[in-house]
Amino acid sequence: MALVASDTALLHALKRSHGAEDGGVFARLSGDPKADGEARAAAEWLSLPLLAAPTASFAEPSGYAVHRVLRAAKHLPPEAAPTDFLLAPHEAEARFGRDPRALEAAGELAASCDVTLPLGDWLLPTAPVGPGETEAGKLRALGYAGLAKRVRNVSMPYVERLERELEVIVRLGFAGYFLVVEDIARFARDQGIPNIGRGSGASSLVSYCLFMTHVDPVAEGLYFERFLNPGRRNPPDIDLDFSWRERDHVIRHVYDTYGDDSVCMIATHNTFSARSGFREVGKAMGVPEEEIGVIARALPHTSFEHFAEALASRPEARRAPLKDRPWQDLLEVARWIDGFPRHLSVHCGGVVVSPIPLTRRLSLERAAKGVAITQCDMYDVEELGLVKIDLLGNRSLGVLVDAVAAVKDHTGQAPPVFPPERLYDDAATNAVISGGRSMGCFYIESPGMRLLLQRLRTRTFPDLTAVSSIIRPGVSESGMMEAYIQRRLGEAPAQYAAPELEPILRETFGVMVYQEDVIRVAHEFVGLSLSEADSLRRAMSGKYRSHAEMESLTGSFFEKGRERGIGEGVLCELWAQIRSFAGYAFCKAHSASFAQLSYQVAYLKAHHPAEFFAALVNNQGGFYGTAAYVEEARRWGMTLLPPDVNASEDEFAGKGRLLRCGFFTLRGLRPGALDALYEERGEGPYRSFADLRSRLRKRLRPAEIEILVRAGACDSFGGERGGMIAQLCSGEGGRCSESGIRKAESGNGGSEVFHFRIPNSEFRIPPPLSLSELLTGEVRALGYAPTAHPLTPMLGWAQERGYTHAGGLAAKAPSRVRVWGQVITYKRIPTKRTKEAMAFVTLEDPTGLCELVFFPKAYARFGALITSGRPLVVEGKAEDDRGGLTLTVEQAWAVRGIVVPKPVEEKPASEGVA
């Protein structure tokens, strides 16, 4: 008997967590005495009965064990018996031979499940057209009308480009697809919903003329072939971003226009990894989620195939008791379901519009949010001939929309952020970008990006477009990022492999920065057709690479180059550059599209910071957490007002130099508590703390009112927070309530050798709360501190010890210093050569930010402190690279006695949201 579930750890874990009432043994009696003996022994050991099997649910006996764990993970009882597996034909005959009709019905059922779906035939969406009108004619008319609106002086290059693109689109049969996307973009525009046309679609002049994209591809030197290659094997892919708040409204328009039976969203298949499997199995075994969470945070996001290697690279995992029970048992069970399907999710943007009812081509189901989704992923959807349109939710577009609306409401005029081209010469906006003061600005706010903006002194749209490309691995690791910076700043001359390449690569000083540069070199210099050049770019990207295609393209590259008289050495040098770079190169059209939004939000930060920061926090979509943005607002000169029971709503509000905090970040309140607060406030403002307590006595618990007090929401009554808490205590018969924010915050840090205590005579406000106690209460209640930076009480302590603060680091470089602060974000990466783990960390103190580098040795020793949730003191060498300040860490210590917001781990950017 093959008993997959007989793994000792699994049986022990299931034995501890499930009793005899939960089901049967994980196998069937096979007729083999030895196997049946094992089954009976397992059943007896587990106190489980052997059950009969009247139905078929599993392909083999071991399927029930998987079923049982996964059903338990969903907190549901088992829905099948342990012997519900498929019967072999001779077993079915033996069992049902007395009723031939049952066997015939089973055969008919099996035959009806046989279906052959057509593959390779595209089902392109069709657009409504008027009487006597064709899709091609409508597309042409819209294209020329848009050209007249978007280009002030239409010259022949624009007309010739438009004609060439229209001919390719119509010939390939994609006119209807373009019209459908144009209808979606026009609907959003009519509703006042701005959009970004991202990706390679911005390379198309037709897309620009249809207002689907907003970068002029002729002016920016973008190739249509990068988007739609005449030799391309699949349809074009147009991606539109909308504000995440308005995206569902746009999608509803698609359903209303093309019909619920012809529109659906695409699913993604989520599977169990080591970390998620550990969490789910732990819950299934009845382990409290709080305990699971402490261990799970130390585990890597990876499959068990790479688990041991990934775990070894995480210093914070060293103290996790993974070899102790029950954690070892949970990991063993999680290993057993590694890679199993977990659930279907909704793709971040994929929408299918079909010319026929979708159920004739694929299977659907309802997602939790109510929309119909495919049961297959995007790749299978394309194999079935259906075309997706990506309609993505972008939180930075939400920031733009909300901030513009707030400025217009406050001043009577909308800020001049449309079109974005008018902002490129704005001095204040360029100062924000070139100074790396871009925290909160879309796509240019990560630590690495801010350092690069400073080093490059980025002040132009081409510069900003380039930074998102040169920071990528293929350029930076090859040394070409440094070469680009030196040439851009005049520190080194531009260099070209051949003089003829100068007009082709002049914009990037001889460095191939973009995918479009690969195409230009292959086409304009070597002599490949545009179609061949794009095929070369695609083949080298890896996604479509095949040995035969690469052989053919290699031959064409050298053959065409020799025909043009290019030397063998130059061809070999170019081929090596393209081959090593093309897979990591960035699409210039995509970068330019996003750079426009970066400029727009940077303008708002420079000129309307209060409205900008309020919108930034409310949309919750930036690189950092709320606490980091609150401190950035304070550094920007904002006065922060705590949430107020009479003045605040859920969201933040900003005007002038004031930023009023909202209630949505409050922790420890039951659902409905704020609704009760608002409803009672609607009957009239709260006149005093006693009035608030009296009116909310039956609707809010004392612990919830305490959270409001600690958040500062009752400060307007004029009392001191400690006194109000004392009133709550006295109202409870002298016993303070157990607040939901008093839970101890545990971390996985290393040994803390520094201790911080506040002298009784310093940093006092009216008793009984010290400044440290007040800030701690705010951080625990809100996740940030409106009154002051959480580390403000440490200023004198750090000064006594001669520590350098972040705002003074520039004056110390290059020298060895000690700095202090709290970690707000961190990123682990493997080194290029040895693949050892290292980390980039952003440290913050009341004066500013400091970028730390933990090379492998330092990370191995002190990496656990990064995630400890405690302030750090670090020692190392400060370095200034063209204004980009970093500190290479040699020693690190954690500090006890201060509560700070938890750090955020930097993850790969997700530009869309579901």
Side-chain angles (χ1 to χ4, degrees), residues 149-152 158 195-196 208 211 213-217 219-220 400 415-427 429-430 433 459-462 464-465 592-601 603:
K149 293 177 182 177
R150 303 217 76 166
V151 180
R152 181 172 298 177
Y158 281 94
N195 80 280
I196 296 175
Y208 181 67
F211 292 85
T213 59
H214 307 291
V215 174
D216 184 337
E220 295 299 326
L400 176 68
V417 294
F418 299 104
E421 299 89 70
R422 69 174 68 182
L423 309 178
Y424 299 159
D425 295 324
D426 182 76
T429 303
N430 281 318
I433 294 172
R459 288 185 174 273
T460 67
F461 182 72
L464 190 60
T465 302
S593 298
F594 276 8
Q596 290 185 328
L597 181 57
S598 300
Y599 257 102
Q600 289 171 310
V601 292
Y603 177 90

Side-chain angles (χ1 to χ4, degrees), residues 46 136 375 431 456 605 741 779 830 909:
L46 287 168
Q375 289 187 335
L456 197 58
K605 184 176 185 180
I741 60 173
V779 170

Side-chain angles (χ1 to χ4, degrees), residues 463-481:
D463 282 347
L464 190 60
T465 302
V467 293
S468 62
S469 295
I470 64 175
I471 202 172
R472 289 172 68 82
V475 188
S476 60
E477 292 180 3
S478 67
M480 296 311 291
M481 180 175 79

Side-chain angles (χ1 to χ4, degrees), residues 754-758 772 776 794 870-871 895-900:
F754 286 5
H755 299 268
F756 171 74
R757 293 180 177 83
I758 304 174
S772 181
T776 294
M794 290 181 63
R870 294 192 174 102
V895 183
R896 288 193 287 193
I898 291 288
V899 175
V900 296

Side-chain angles (χ1 to χ4, degrees), residues 358-371:
L358 286 162
T359 51
R360 289 171 52 186
R361 190 55 67 96
L362 47 71
S363 56
L364 306 175
E365 70 173 63
R366 290 282 173 193
K369 63 191 300 183
V371 297

